[in-house]
Amino acid sequence: MLEVKGLGKEFGGLKAIDGVSFEMRKNTITGLIGPNGAGKTTLFNTIAGVYAPTRGEILFKGEHIEGLQPHRIFHKGLVRTFQIPRPFPDMTVLENLMVVPAGQTGERFWNNWFRPGKVNEEERALHDKACEVAEFLNLTRVLNLQAKNLSGGQQKLVEIGRALMADPELILLDEPGAGVNPSLLAEIIDRIRELHARGITFLLIEHNMDMVMNLCDPILVMANGRLLMEGSAAEVRTDSRVLDAYLGGEPEVSEAS
């Protein structure tokens, strides 16, 4: 589903990503881990179109997407969430969900005069879909609250809900467990598993190692902007290069990565 080939991103003289290559199969939950400053979020931003790569290729379902604008990548079914949730704070949860789908008839103001029936029909369909997504994420009781009044964990669920409103095929999850209390974290993990069972593919950055080891297969490990290794949870746990990277050693990156 996703192929990254020799990807590089430089900021001045800093190589934030340095020759990263990997492939993701459809309907997997792939983990992306590494110490702070490893280049994980820069990799996400480059895949999602926030940054144009300095070099390399990114293919989604066989189509080159490197350098495309984020909204064009979004419309192809590749959607990302953020470590710090970014809802519209003064809009309700319902409004945050309903605003996501692109090309709504009501976005053109004249259609509200000349095609009110079509606008109302779409609004009802979007309302029903948003309510279904909220119910799935256990957000029904806060549906009419402003997003700024939600807890951090609830805002993380709204982030996932907004991604679901776009009917994604691949979701890039940026630290969904960060700052979330244990009960909500368990709920987020359950929802990811259910969505995976429905056929959605995930690439997930996370520092909670228990979550990664129990949820993800395979796991990608980055250090110093490069891909250190790829393997199962058991392989990652026992790899000396991974231990060195997390404990402050200088990891030896293989030529293949």
Side-chain angles (χ1 to χ4, degrees):
M1 174 169 279
L2 180 70
E3 298 176 75
V4 174
K5 301 180 179 181
L7 195 66
K9 178 59 185 176
E10 298 178 11
F11 299 97
L14 173 66
K15 292 183 177 180
I17 308 173
D18 186 10
V20 169
S21 299
F22 64 89
E23 297 181 1
M24 277 185 63
R25 292 180 290 109
K26 182 180 174 67
N27 199 27
T28 56
I29 304 176
T30 299
L32 177 61
I33 66 171
N36 290 331
K40 305 181 297 297
T41 296
T42 301
L43 178 62
F44 259 32
N45 283 333
T46 307
I47 292 172
V50 177
Y51 301 141
T54 305
R55 63 185 181 278
E57 301 172 277
I58 307 168
L59 289 87
F60 179 54
K61 298 186 296 183
E63 178 183 355
H64 284 273
I65 62 170
E66 67 272 6
L68 292 182
Q69 291 295 310
H71 68 276
R72 294 186 60 191
I73 294 174
F74 174 89
H75 292 150
K76 292 180 183 296
L78 194 163
V79 178
R80 72 158 297 176
T81 68
F82 294 89
Q83 177 185 353
I84 300 174
R86 300 182 181 182
F88 296 107
D90 294 319
M91 294 172 62
T92 66
V93 172
L94 177 63
E95 290 165 341
N96 267 279
L97 296 175
M98 289 182 64
V99 78
V100 172
Q104 297 181 39
T105 304
E107 291 175 359
R108 295 171 175 82
F109 69 89
W110 56 83
N111 283 329
N112 291 280
W113 298 332
F114 300 114
R115 304 178 67 192
K118 177 65 172 176
V119 172
N120 290 334
E121 180 184 351
E122 282 189 4
E123 286 286 307
R124 285 193 297 270
L126 284 175
H127 180 277
D128 291 345
K129 182 176 181 179
C131 288
E132 289 176 7
V133 167
E135 183 177 4
F136 173 72
L137 296 171
N138 198 24
L139 291 170
T140 302
R141 62 189 177 85
V142 297
L143 200 55
N144 294 310
L145 290 183
Q146 290 179 312
K148 65 185 179 184
N149 295 324
L150 303 182
S151 70
Q154 289 170 329
Q155 289 191 3
K156 295 268 187 178
L157 288 169
V158 173
E159 280 276 292
I160 295 173
R162 295 200 302 174
L164 295 179
M165 290 295 293
D167 296 321
E169 296 182 59
L170 170 60
I171 301 179
L172 309 182
L173 286 176
D174 194 348
E175 296 199 42
V180 177
N181 68 56
S183 61
L184 266 178
L185 178 59
E187 192 168 329
I188 289 172
I189 292 171
D190 286 344
R191 297 295 84 77
I192 292 171
R193 285 196 169 115
E194 287 188 45
L195 292 169
H196 171 247
R198 297 182 185 185
I200 295 179
T201 304
F202 290 91
L203 177 59
L204 175 144
I205 294 175
E206 185 52 62
H207 285 289
N208 184 320
M209 289 298 104
D210 286 338
M211 178 178 178
V212 171
M213 297 299 171
N214 287 295
L215 188 62
C216 302
D217 185 22
I219 298 170
L220 307 174
V221 186
M222 287 187 70
N224 300 322
R226 303 184 69 186
L227 186 63
L228 190 63
M229 70 162 295
E230 175 181 351
S232 66
E235 291 168 334
V236 168
R237 279 194 191 98
T238 57
D239 192 282
S240 61
R241 296 168 298 172
V242 176
L243 298 176
D244 285 343
Y246 274 97
L247 295 175
E250 290 295 329
E252 179 180 338
V253 181
S254 67
E255 291 299 322
S257 65

